[in-house]
Structures are given as structure tokens and as C-alpha cells.
Amino acid sequence: MTLKPKTTLLKLPLFFTFLIAALIIYSCRKDNNNSQAQSNSQIDEARAWYENTFPVTNKISGGLQTQGAGKNHDLTQWIKPDWQHPNAYIRNGESVIEMPIDPASKFASSVKLNTKRFNPKYSRSYYLVIHDSTKYNAYILTIVADSSYVGNDLSKLGHNTYRKHDADFTGSVLYFTPKGDYLGGYGYNNGKLMEPGTPEVKAGSQQINSVHTDDLKDNYMKQECTDWYIVYYKDGEYWYDEYLTTTCTMVDDGSGQGGGGSGPPPPPPPCPAGSHPGPPVIRPCIPPAVASVDNGNKVAVNYVPPPPPPGDDGLPPPPSQSCSVDPPREPCPVEEDPCAQAKKLVQDAAFKSKMNDLKSKVTLSYETGYTIDASGSYKAVQGPAGQAFISLSPTTPLSGYIHTHYTGTLPTFSGTDVKAIYDLQQKNKIANISTFTAGVVTASGTTYIMKVNDPAKFATFAAGNLNNDANFKQFELYYSNKEITYEVTGKDKVTAHEMALLSALQDSGLTILKGNNTFSSWDTYTLKETNGINDSIVIINCK
């Protein structure tokens, strides 16, 4: 038998019962009022500091219109804290006032990774005004949740603030100054702070294809970089975005030779773009790389591991470590234009000898070629019978490569010949992009070289056409369709391929030069596009 404790009721007259209840209720009200008065005083003081530190010089409703779109807007002239809905508390020994952004600004934000914008409905921003007993600091905290975490329940966004986050939160946490300057960020995967590692590129064999076959690949792992942007919306409409930083990670290249996998992108580094923890680093002169070209502003930096978990259910504090900005890279010496380089090749006996050797081999059933190292030494390569490609495994940077297109293959450069320059550059296997030479001798009796006349423009072109399978397939499809179009309009096969290639390479930073049978003269080829039917090739001799 289980004995239940007996409850004894104290019987009091109704009057005394009411009196005690009234005293208790009054006492609670009195305590709450004192607490509220103290909280209001703190909030009033914080508000006075904020508005004195970040005065609004333009009207909130029209401030952005006076600044010029996309040019580092001062957010204090657009948005402000919602002082009517503050949440005051103590965390890490500091007084924190956390509040939403005033809805009158009709503000929303999210992130863009490379070219993909995230839905702003999955993002929420807060103001933080933190007092550490000596001074105030203010921040904008932006929380971007992953769709795998939110699902169909957008209310889950409200579970995550500076003070507390869900145990299964997956997404990014970004900190900004009230003016909109990026301070740093962190990533969460299923409630855990992500631990990014330092990228390390592995060397591997490489393959250059002359027709539409497999892409040039690194055999094991490849570095995949993500450009981060903050995207702002006004009244539900896209307003502008600003570049934040670039993160890189190692992924399996698809060859089956390495590990890796997919998952959330690595968190942004806890230092602003273009800076890093520790002292400045003096970097050598290097040509522009696709991952670091954005009008000279974008710089990929190695990120550092996030701090230890904060010890409670809250988010890590805003980054406060010392960050250094490296001095700008000195520009590499300006090289001669492609015509001047072609004229030097006319005087280069070794180059002409190897090109003549390739000319004698275009009737073979396989491709042959040579790699040219930085010292000018040639190394013979040979492709498999009946397959239109050669494989390269350079151990040192190259100054060029030349090869054949045998009977039945393309009469000029293929799309993968173009991509080979980009892929070699990405793996640091090009000695000098401004003087690099790609050459082809074909069974159609044609000879061409390809030169990079504008490295920055080539980087931009490659970022949109050569940097992944989907973009490259679109590039090759355009090239192929253009060639068919030109043949339909009456152009011969060689001319149709030349015009299609030139059309595909418009604004690419590449120059195509065509040589004579003895390699003693070169002409630059450009396309004058009219209406597809009356298009023509403009030929200029390199005299």
C-alpha cells in the first residue's frame, strides 16, 4: 500500500485570506515596477548613446537614394533599432539590449553564395547594444537559417537570437557594424559550431582534351571557393548586394580517387574580407586568379577555426580579435602584346621545328604534342589511339603547350583547349599567364596559337564560362550551335569553326592568331558580328 501524505489546510477568515493575497500581489507589482524602471533607465541611456554615436543625417525613408546603389551604403541612414521592443539581459558579464530592426524601414537581408541568392524569409536581423561597464558597442546580428532546419515552419527563425539558439540550428551567423561594415561570422550545422580546416591543394595528373570529351581534371581533390555577399531588400524588393569574403574548401573532383562530400558551405572567416588574424603578409607578384578578381576588391583568405562554444546556449560574441590587412600586391610587369610575342616565335627556331614536327603527324590516328616548361625545354606527349586528347602531368609550371588535331577532328581550337588554360592556371601550372602559348596544328591545314591579352578579363570570362561543369557545357553548346549556324548560312567548315570560336570568345581576354604553313607569319583574328549572316572575320597581320 502506498501512503499519501496528508495535506493540512490552514483555515483563515475570508478577510485575512484576501488581505494576504492583496499584499502578495502588491509586493509583486512593486518589484516588477522597480525592475521595469531600472530596465527603462538602462534602455534610455543606451538609446541616447546610440543616437549620439550614429546620428541620422538623412531621412530614413530616402537616405539610400542619396548614396548611389551598391556603393557601401551607410545602414545607419536607412535602418534603426526598434526601441519599442527591446530585450534587456546580462550575458558574459555584459549588459545586452537586443531588439529587432524598426519595421518602418521595410528592411530585409539575406546572403548570396556565388550567384545564388538565399530567400530573405529565412533570415532575420537584430540590433545588439552591449555595455561592458566601461563602454558601449553596437552591432547588427544577421541570422541566416538553412532550409533543412526551417522546413515549412518559418517561426523557428525566432528561436535563435544572441542569447539562445535551437539545439538543431543549421545556418550562418554574421556580424556587422551599424554602418554595415562586415566584422565576421560563424557557421552552425545541426546546432554545432562548424570547424573549418585549412585548404590544401594536392597535385595530380591533368588532361587536356581537344574535342568534346572529358574535362581537364585533378585526379584527387580540388579546391572549391564560395564568394559571400550580403543582400539587402527594401519593401520586399531586391535593393543591392555587397561582397563580404571568399571561403574555400576541398571537395572530391569526381574521379573516385579521393574523399570529400557535400554539406553546408564553410562559415565566413572571423575577419573581414581582405584581412586575416596576425601580422601582415607581403605577397609576391602573381597574375590575377579567378577566385580573387572583383575589381581588385575580392581577396580569398584562409579562415581560422571558430572560438570554443560560448558555454551557454547563445551565439558566439562578435569577433574582437586583431585583424591585419596585407599591402596590395605589386603588379606584375606589363608584357608585350600577343602580336609582339608571335613575332618572337617567328624567330624561335625550336618552336618552329616542333610545330613542323607536329605538322608531319596530323595524319596519325592519335594526337601528339609538346609541353614547354619555363626554361623553354620541350617534352613530347602522346594521346591514346583513336581518342582525341593528350594527357599532361606537369610537375613544374609551363610556358605553353602545342598539339595536333588529327584527321576527322576539329580544324581549330576546341572548347576544352580553351578550358585547359584556365585549369592549368587554377593548379598553379602556368609560369606567366601573360606570355602563355597554346598552339594547335590540324589535319585541315590550319595552324593557330592562343594568347591571353588581358588576364583580368580572362579571369572574369572564366568565372562565368569555365569554372564548373554546368557553365562549361553551356559554353561548348554555344560554340557548337554557332558553328552549325555559320555552316547553314554558307560558310565552309573551317571558316564556320573559326567564326564560332571567335564569337564564343568575345570579351574573353584571349587572342586567336592564325599562322601560315611555314609558321613564319601570324595574323590576329577577330569577329565583326552583324546579323549572323553577314558576320565577317577581321584579319590583322603582325608585321
Side-chain angles (χ1 to χ4, degrees), residues 23-38:
L23 289 173
I24 292 173
I25 293 171
Y26 176 78
S27 176
C28 289
R29 285 179 177 173
K30 184 176 181 181
D31 288 344
N32 285 340
N33 288 339
N34 285 341
S35 175
Q36 186 66 40
Q38 185 179 9

Side-chain angles (χ1 to χ4, degrees), residues 254-271:
S255 67
Q257 300 294 320
S262 61
C271 269

Side-chain angles (χ1 to χ4, degrees), residues 228-260:
W228 290 70
Y229 299 80
I230 184 71
V231 184
Y232 294 120
Y233 297 83
K234 184 176 182 181
D235 200 13
E237 299 292 330
Y238 166 80
W239 193 254
Y240 74 101
D241 56 60
E242 287 188 29
Y243 169 75
L244 299 180
T245 189
T246 296
T247 59
C248 298
T249 188
M250 301 306 296
V251 298
D252 193 330
D253 72 347
S255 67
Q257 300 294 320

Side-chain angles (χ1 to χ4, degrees), residues 280-328:
V281 175
I282 307 299
R283 293 174 293 170
C285 158
I286 60 173
V290 170
S292 62
V293 172
D294 184 30
N295 296 324
N297 296 324
K298 189 184 301 182
V299 179
V301 295
N302 287 337
Y303 42 84
V304 297
D312 56 18
D313 292 333
L315 301 175
S320 59
Q321 62 186 317
S322 175
C323 297
S324 299
V325 177
D326 296 339

Side-chain angles (χ1 to χ4, degrees), residues 68-307:
K71 298 296 183 183
N72 297 315
H73 291 82
D74 181 352
L75 291 185
T76 63
Q77 304 305 304
W78 177 15
I79 61 176
K80 62 181 180 181
D82 183 1
W83 295 102
Q84 302 305 311
H85 298 90
N87 184 14
Y89 53 87
I90 302 296
R91 184 171 179 232
N92 299 326
E94 299 175 323
S95 298
V96 179
I97 300 174
E98 185 171 10
M99 55 201 137
I101 290 171
D102 191 331
S105 62
K106 300 179 180 180
F107 168 90
S109 67
S110 190
V111 295
K112 183 175 75 172
L113 302 184
N114 292 332
T115 59
K116 178 185 177 182
R117 289 184 199 159
F118 279 50
N119 190 333
K121 291 182 179 180
Y122 290 80
S123 177
R124 185 167 294 182
S125 294
Y126 301 89
Y127 271 98
L128 299 177
V129 179
I130 300 177
H131 189 251
D132 65 0
S133 77
T134 61
K135 65 181 183 302
Y136 282 101
N137 285 299
Y139 308 93
I140 295 175
L141 164 63
T142 297
I143 298 173
V144 184
D146 191 82
S147 58
S148 64
Y149 158 74
V150 174
N152 296 320
D153 185 5
L154 289 175
S155 68
K156 294 185 70 175
L157 260 177
H159 301 175
N160 303 281
T161 66
Y162 180 61
R163 191 178 194 178
K164 187 179 187 303
H165 68 80
D166 271 349
D168 60 342
F169 171 67
T170 296
S172 299
V173 176
L174 308 174
Y175 286 101
F176 300 85
T177 69
K179 289 181 175 289
D181 298 322
Y182 175 62
L183 294 172
Y186 308 98
Y188 276 84
N189 188 12
N190 198 28
K192 304 296 183 182
L193 270 172
M194 294 176 66
E195 295 281 351
T198 302
E200 180 181 351
V201 180
K202 294 184 179 181
S205 65
Q206 300 171 6
Q207 175 175 297
I208 292 177
N209 306 288
S210 297
V211 292
H212 305 259
T213 58
D214 295 331
D215 296 336
L216 176 81
K217 293 180 179 177
D218 184 4
N219 258 357
Y220 303 106
M221 304 290 285
K222 66 179 180 181
Q223 182 172 258
E224 190 171 273
C225 293
T226 301
D227 298 332
W228 290 70
Y229 299 80
I230 184 71
V231 184
Y232 294 120
Y233 297 83
K234 184 176 182 181
D235 200 13
E237 299 292 330
Y238 166 80
W239 193 254
Y240 74 101
D241 56 60
E242 287 188 29
Y243 169 75
L244 299 180
T245 189
T246 296
T247 59
C248 298
T249 188
M250 301 306 296
V251 298
D252 193 330
D253 72 347
S255 67
Q257 300 294 320
S262 61
C271 269
S275 66
H276 58 80
V281 175
I282 307 299
R283 293 174 293 170
C285 158
I286 60 173
V290 170
S292 62
V293 172
D294 184 30
N295 296 324
N297 296 324
K298 189 184 301 182
V299 179
V301 295
N302 287 337
Y303 42 84
V304 297

